[in-house]
Amino acid sequence: MQIHAVSLDLDDTLWPVLPALIEAERCVDAWLREHHPTVATAWPIEAMRELRDRIALENTHLSHDFSEQRRLTIRHAFAACGIDDAPVDELWSIYFAARNRVELYPDSLAALERIAAHLPIASISNGNADLEVIGLDHFFRERLSASGEGVAKPHPQIFRAAAERLGIAPQHILHVGDDPLLDVVGAREAGLATAWLNRTGERWSHGPAPDLEFTDMTALADWLDALRASDPSIHTHPNAR
Ligand SMILES: [Mg+2]
């Protein structure tokens, strides 16, 4: 296997996403209770979550765009309370700021530093995490999101777009992510090498096994170091960043 670049999932690969999403919902709810108590009473957190799920189901054309789903949810919640000019932008920025206050897994930062020193990295995410806001953008040569590309993982097109942007053939890119379907199956379909980041010790039960499996990002960085040591002819990218 010759690996010349890494593509990385973000949520639940570099940080656990659920705590940030829950906190973001809480921040939105707190703002509503202060500024629009009627809306807050009509749409407590659980009801707002169900509304968003329903809006996602009813708007499959937005399945790649979680941000637009949320904005639509806000508009709908306010309209149901008789308010047509919902403060969509304000609420979206409150949500977005909290959603990006993620706490990295303890192994993520050091591993990113090690990998980025030798290989270009692209991020491929279906979510709306913002690497600049999080402060990790300098590790990534390319950043691809489902909303930006108009198509979400596991569609092969988003992986091929990453390969094109990196200028590296798909088979020389190792895609790493926690989700068996979105990351491993999707990347394999697009011809990338695949690594399943299995932090919770699950058993693989999704068809053909991934090329590689790691328990954390340190194990990935170790494997890439060993690969480089075993074959010095593999070109490295001194200016990978
Ligand atoms: Mg993920």
Side-chain angles (χ1 to χ4, degrees):
M1 199 186 288
Q2 286 211 346
I3 299 304
H4 298 162
V6 170
S7 62
L8 261 186
D9 172 53
L10 299 176
D11 290 330
D12 290 332
T13 290
L14 294 180
W15 54 75
V17 72
L18 197 57
L21 295 183
I22 288 172
E23 176 61 9
E25 287 178 334
R26 199 198 58 76
C27 288
V28 165
D29 185 61
W31 189 90
L32 284 176
R33 273 189 277 126
E34 191 180 337
H35 300 277
H36 290 274
T38 329
V39 180
T41 308
W43 300 99
I45 289 178
E46 190 59 38
M48 195 71 101
R49 200 177 288 158
E50 282 165 15
L51 175 63
R52 198 202 75 102
D53 289 348
R54 205 179 84 214
I55 281 181
L57 279 176
E58 288 169 359
N59 294 274
T60 47
H61 65 289
L62 295 178
S63 59
H64 62 282
D65 196 338
F66 292 158
S67 305
E68 196 48 42
Q69 286 178 11
R70 292 215 173 263
R71 298 169 74 90
L72 202 54
T73 304
I74 295 165
R75 255 180 241 122
H76 186 103
F78 274 76
C81 296
I83 303 170
D84 287 331
D85 55 340
V88 178
D89 290 339
E90 183 149 20
L91 276 168
W92 170 247
S93 20
I94 290 166
Y95 183 90
F96 186 71
R99 188 260 184 269
N100 282 299
R101 282 194 291 272
V102 294
E103 191 174 334
L104 301 193
Y105 290 116
D107 47 277
S108 292
L109 190 58
L112 274 176
E113 277 169 0
R114 288 171 59 195
I115 298 165
H118 299 285
L119 293 171
I121 308 177
S123 64
I124 307 182
S125 175
N126 282 359
N128 41 33
D130 188 313
L131 287 166
E132 238 168 272
V133 176
I134 295 169
L136 295 176
D137 53 308
H138 56 290
F139 291 121
F140 293 82
R141 183 179 288 184
E142 299 294 339
R143 287 172 270 167
L144 291 93
S145 67
S147 60
E149 300 304 312
V151 65
K153 296 184 289 186
H155 199 293
Q157 193 179 317
I158 194 166
F159 295 98
R160 292 199 197 108
E164 253 166 56
R165 298 249 293 264
L166 287 164
I168 293 174
Q171 69 268 27
H172 296 312
I173 300 172
L174 179 63
H175 180 73
V176 185
D178 69 291
D179 193 294
L181 173 66
L182 301 185
D183 291 306
V184 176
V185 175
R188 181 196 292 129
E189 282 289 303
L192 280 72
T194 57
W196 183 32
L197 196 64
N198 179 14
R199 290 182 177 275
T200 52
E202 279 173 58
R203 274 179 51 136
W204 180 262
S205 58
H206 309 271
D211 298 317
L212 300 159
E213 182 177 330
F214 301 111
T215 53
D216 60 18
M217 290 290 294
T218 306
L220 167 67
D222 288 346
W223 186 86
L224 288 167
D225 278 351
L227 181 72
R228 209 173 56 255
S230 74
D231 185 356
S233 73
I234 293 178
H235 61 88
T236 57
H237 298 248
N239 298 313
R241 289 176 196 187

